[in-house]
Amino acid sequence: MTRTRKPGISRRSTLALMGAGAVTFAAPWVARAEAKTIKIGMPTILSGRVAQLGTSSRNAVMLEVEKVNAAGGLAGRQIEMVIRDSKGQPQEAARIARELVNTDGCEMLLDGEASSGSFAVHEVARDLGVLCIHTCSEASSLTADPKQHIPNAFRCVRQGIHDSIVGAGYAAGIAKTKGLKKWATCSPDYAYGRDTTGEFVLYLKKFAPDVEVISESWPKLFQPDYTEVVTKILQAKPQALYSCLWGGDLTSYIDQANIYALFTQMEVFAVNMADYTALTVVKNLPKGIHSGDRYIKTFPATPENAAWGDAYKAKYNEYPTNWSWQNATAVMFLNEAVKKANSTDGKKVAEVLTGLTIKCPFGADGTVTMRADDRTLVGYAIGWGTTIPQEPYVPDVKAGDWKTIFELEAEWKKSKGYT
Amino acid sequence: MLLFLVAVGLTLIFGVLKVVNFSHGAFYMFGAYFAMTAYQLTGSFALAILVGAAGTAILGLIFERVFMSRVYGRDVLMQLLVCYAFVLIFDDVVRMIWGPEFKSMGMPAAFQVPPLFIAGGVVPPYYLLLIGVALAAAVVLGLGLARSRIGKVIRAAAHNPGMVSALGINTGLIYGGVFALGGMLAGLAGALAAPVRSLTPGMGFSVLIESFIVTVIGGMGSILGALIGALLIGLIRSFGSLGFPLFTEGLMYLFMVIVLVSRPTGLFGKEVA
């Protein structure tokens, strides 16, 4: 048998291979440049104890994205959301964020992580320079600390310090009228619980100087039995109780404190009570618990807000959460910024986003602003009120005053050495 | 008292089957979810408790016969792995059936009454029910094991299964029965806990750790030990939160260490021959 060609790879096949290789490797780039769709990546928590919040974030984003797409998309490009579960682990959140940009070709990130994860995603945004909007982390230092400032990252979330100022102002007013001088606190024993309680007490004493904290309890996160905490508070006989327990821990605590008739013996201030996830779950909600607003469709009392809450409920058969309105607002901001920039280029959009004010159903005056100097959300509806066991759950919310918030926030930043 | 019910099931299973049932918390969880569903469907609290207890007993029997009976006498690590796998599987099953969000069953109307003031302390009537049920369970179990024929067979099976089997008694049935009873006690605790605790997938885990502490303090395999251990842990938590609010958790473990150092078999445990 005679050979027709030499063994090994011929010049022709080498060329073909090289050509194929070039096409294979270049394809994503060519495709990306020409892509009609724009991919937006989103790491969030879709499993574990806080999965409900992550799911409600995804739901809100999809609700808004559908509207944007129906109206023609971002600068003519349809949005394709790529949403992945971080299981609430910071290292996983960072890995997913990186993968979304580098492998999936996402051009922007919505960071739907809780505080621990959002700092990790923030570092990825710093490294890759990709446009990133944090949509769930309330930790004040994420944007207050100048070390965290990068031109491509924004925070579209309420802030712990804002809540403490408004909550303490509201509580001090009631403390003065009702003569509540002896206070107790009961909050979960981790960074959020201790920071938020500390800030609340700091401002409460500032507004009502004769207030005294006579008992502190720090149950651990996800503790099943609060008997010893409840009896300890009852024995201390305070006139008022502050708590930043949340979710299942809060409902569990209410069920257990209820049978000790704790709510009839003192005024209770629970910042996280007025969230539909807790309000709709507690079967015997005591009347008159004071709470901050998380998301409630009756505050701000505008037809736009009510319509948004109803549309969400109609689509997902449950009410939105605090994380929902924040994520929806982030998509609204992106949509407006892209329109103004007339481009989906991350840098151009970031420039427009800085200092941008948009119309929004969740704004205190119908608008919200992405404050220019620290790229964080201000002007959102924030207030406190008392709960009743049926809809509308918090019939009368007293709105916080943004002028006071700005003044005290500036003082707080100075005291922390941020400015 | 709920801790006692969970711990006594754990200690019973260990005493007879010599298995450390790491998946015991899952039965507590199922008890709570079964009770909640039954309560929502029927509105009867008594029926809810019954369904919670009976449902987990059946589940325990199936679990023991199909899976656990295969790992008796095997390496402890193997038993732990099987149990831990089922902790994860059961959590996911609950997530699929009832959803990942937390739920609340609500206090039955009969117990929505003001608490009683006894000797300066505040005692909710519902907790009197819990104490009553737990004490009744302790008496029935204690007397049943000590006096009844079945109790004697169970104790014999714990000591020498080979001989019991040779006497024509079906040890498989005894083992399954004991496991079902243990599961039922955990389920009963879960059902009784449902009105005052939030229900989430994975809710059994923290209860499990505390019941292990109770059984270790009381002595593995001892019912009286579980009762005394649960009472001691309750007292430590209450006084700890008053005296050492930042070290309440630590106190429990510290107490366990002291007991283990002074009496390695626990307060009421017997020396293993």
Side-chain angles (χ1 to χ4, degrees):
Chain A
M1 198 183 216
T2 50
R3 282 175 192 271
T4 51
R5 67 180 182 87
K6 288 176 191 170
I9 301 169
S10 72
R11 188 173 51 197
R12 186 173 295 173
S13 55
T14 308
L15 279 173
L17 264 176
M18 281 170 68
V23 168
T24 312
F25 285 110
W29 303 99
V30 176
R32 196 177 296 180
E34 290 173 353
K36 221 22 202 147
T37 59
I38 176 166
K39 283 187 181 173
I40 301 180
M42 179 170 175
T44 189
I45 307 169
L46 298 173
S47 57
R49 178 98 179 199
V50 277
Q52 196 181 3
L53 287 174
T55 314
S56 76
S57 304
R58 180 180 63 190
N59 289 349
V61 163
M62 295 315 293
L63 185 71
E64 289 307 309
V65 162
E66 277 171 25
K67 285 184 208 164
V68 175
N69 280 346
L74 288 180
R77 299 170 68 188
Q78 292 285 303
I79 302 174
E80 184 189 334
M81 291 301 304
V82 188
I83 302 173
R84 301 249 161 88
D85 180 16
S86 72
K87 303 175 186 76
Q89 295 165 3
Q91 70 278 15
E92 189 68 2
R95 188 188 64 76
I96 289 173
R98 204 171 277 278
E99 198 178 271
L100 283 169
V101 177
N102 288 339
T103 313
D104 294 273
C106 292
E107 294 174 47
M108 298 170 183
L109 288 177
L110 289 182
D111 162 35
E113 289 294 319
S115 296
S116 49
S118 68
F119 282 91
V121 175
H122 194 76
E123 288 313 306
V124 174
R126 191 197 296 269
D127 185 28
L128 300 180
V130 65
L131 177 69
C132 171
I133 304 182
H134 303 291
T135 53
C136 299
S137 166
E138 295 175 38
S140 301
S141 60
L142 182 63
T143 50
D145 187 350
K147 285 190 207 114
Q148 302 291 350
H149 289 181
I150 46 173
N152 52 311
F154 299 81
R155 184 235 295 269
C156 183
V157 191
R158 66 187 324 128
Q159 236 183 102
I161 187 69
H162 297 165
D163 270 338
S164 297
I165 292 170
V166 174
Y170 169 87
I174 293 177
K176 279 178 189 162
T177 29
K178 295 196 174 176
L180 311 174
K181 288 180 185 158
K182 289 183 180 169
W183 283 65
T185 65
C186 171
S187 295
D189 190 11
Y190 74 117
Y192 164 77
R194 288 193 173 261
D195 288 356
T196 313
T197 306
E199 286 163 11
F200 176 86
V201 171
L202 177 80
Y203 285 106
L204 178 66
K205 284 185 174 169
K206 187 183 169 82
F207 297 134
D210 50 357
V211 158
E212 183 195 357
V213 176
I214 56 168
S215 167
E216 286 178 36
S217 306
W218 303 102
K220 66 178 195 290
L221 198 59
F222 310 148
Q223 182 166 318
D225 187 355
Y226 293 98
T227 304
E228 81 269 11
V229 178
V230 174
T231 49
K232 180 184 165 185
I233 293 168
L234 285 174
Q235 272 166 6
K237 294 196 170 62
Q239 295 165 299
L241 170 72
Y242 169 81
S243 176
C244 67
L245 287 170
W246 54 274
D249 287 4
L250 178 63
T251 55
S252 212
Y253 180 82
I254 289 175
D255 281 337
Q256 291 175 32
N258 233 344
I259 55 174
Y260 280 94
L262 180 138
F263 298 98
T264 60
Q265 299 174 45
M266 62 197 75
E267 295 277 332
V268 177
F269 296 77
V271 59
N272 295 319
M273 185 70 247
D275 196 64
Y276 286 117
T277 49
L279 289 169
T280 51
V281 165
V282 179
K283 296 289 185 301
N284 315 110
L285 185 70
K287 206 176 154 186
I289 295 182
H290 302 276
S291 174
D293 75 304
R294 305 297 288 169
Y295 173 78
I296 196 126
K297 67 171 189 169
T298 48
F299 180 73
T302 57
E304 291 84 5
N305 184 31
W308 191 83
D310 287 337
Y312 184 102
K313 182 153 196 259
K315 191 168 164 71
Y316 300 111
N317 201 25
E318 60 184 16
Y319 274 124
T321 67
N322 182 49
W323 286 20
S324 306
W325 76 261
Q326 298 173 158
N327 278 278
T329 309
V331 179
M332 293 173 194
F333 262 115
L334 266 184
N335 189 30
E336 280 302 311
V338 168
K339 265 188 207 161
K340 283 226 161 101
N342 198 22
S343 159
T344 50
D345 177 66
K347 267 193 184 143
K348 286 182 189 160
V349 176
E351 273 170 30
V352 177
L353 263 178
T354 312
L356 181 67
T357 298
I358 62 165
K359 275 175 81 176
C360 175
F362 321 114
D365 61 354
T367 66
V368 289
T369 300
M370 189 60 76
R371 187 163 59 189
D373 55 355
D374 55 0
R375 295 181 194 80
T376 198
L377 185 74
V378 292
Y380 54 90
I382 181 170
W384 275 63
T386 52
T387 53
I388 53 167
Q390 66 280 344
E391 285 206 59
Y393 296 113
V394 194
D396 181 27
V397 184
K398 283 201 176 113
D401 168 34
W402 273 99
K403 200 169 148 263
T404 318
I405 298 175
F406 288 143
E407 279 170 22
L408 293 173
E409 186 190 11
E411 268 177 36
W412 172 80
K413 277 188 175 172
K414 215 174 250 174
S415 73
K416 285 273 174 187
Y418 291 151
T419 50
Chain B
M1 277 298 146
L2 292 176
L3 206 51
F4 161 70
L5 288 177
V6 181
V8 80
L10 198 64
T11 210
L12 199 66
I13 290 172
F14 176 79
V16 178
L17 311 183
K18 306 283 180 286
V19 172
V20 179
N21 182 16
F22 213 70
S23 59
H24 201 61
F27 290 92
Y28 168 83
M29 172 177 71
F30 272 117
Y33 274 95
F34 286 157
M36 182 189 69
T37 307
Y39 185 66
Q40 282 170 350
L41 291 178
T42 64
S44 159
F45 182 57
L47 200 66
I49 301 294
L50 204 67
V51 169
T56 43
I58 295 167
L59 198 70
L61 186 66
I62 297 171
F63 181 56
E64 195 274 343
R65 282 294 87 195
V66 180
F67 302 104
M68 289 310 287
S69 57
R70 294 169 199 275
V71 290
Y72 289 149
R74 298 283 279 276
D75 192 10
V76 173
L77 208 61
M78 182 67 170
Q79 298 176 345
L80 271 183
L81 269 178
V82 171
C83 287
Y84 189 63
F86 274 95
V87 169
L88 300 178
I89 292 170
F90 284 148
D91 277 357
D92 278 347
V93 167
V94 166
R95 198 168 284 134
M96 280 189 268
I97 299 176
W98 285 280
E101 65 275 8
F102 58 87
K103 304 227 182 261
S104 167
M105 175 170 141
M107 180 61 64
F111 292 100
Q112 286 180 32
V113 287
L116 308 171
F117 292 89
I118 301 171
V122 192
V123 184
Y126 186 68
Y127 284 6
L128 289 179
L129 171 81
L130 297 192
I131 293 169
V133 170
L135 285 180
V139 170
V140 169
L141 277 177
L143 287 181
L145 276 184
R147 303 278 166 85
S148 76
R149 196 187 117 76
I150 299 172
K152 281 178 192 160
V153 172
I154 290 174
R155 278 188 293 143
H159 279 291
N160 194 339
M163 180 57 88
V164 172
S165 186
L167 289 171
I169 292 166
N170 185 348
T171 47
L173 194 69
I174 297 287
Y175 282 0
V178 168
F179 203 97
L181 183 64
M184 187 194 83
L185 287 165
L188 178 67
L192 288 168
V196 284
R197 294 185 185 177
S198 62
L199 278 55
T200 57
M203 66 183 276
F205 197 73
S206 53
V207 177
L208 181 77
I209 300 291
E210 285 191 3
S211 7
F212 266 122
I213 299 176
V214 166
T215 39
V216 167
I217 288 175
M220 296 291 274
S222 161
I223 292 169
L224 182 64
L227 183 64
I228 302 293
L231 283 175
L232 283 172
I233 288 298
L235 289 174
I236 288 172
R237 292 189 72 103
S238 299
F239 286 109
S241 72
L242 289 175
F244 310 91
L246 297 178
F247 197 60
T248 316
E249 292 293 309
L251 273 182
M252 278 190 335
Y253 291 99
L254 195 67
F255 184 68
M256 184 174 84
V257 168
I258 293 170
V259 168
L260 281 183
V261 169
S262 53
R263 271 189 74 91
T265 51
L267 292 177
F268 295 89
K270 294 195 181 87
E271 294 284 341
V272 180

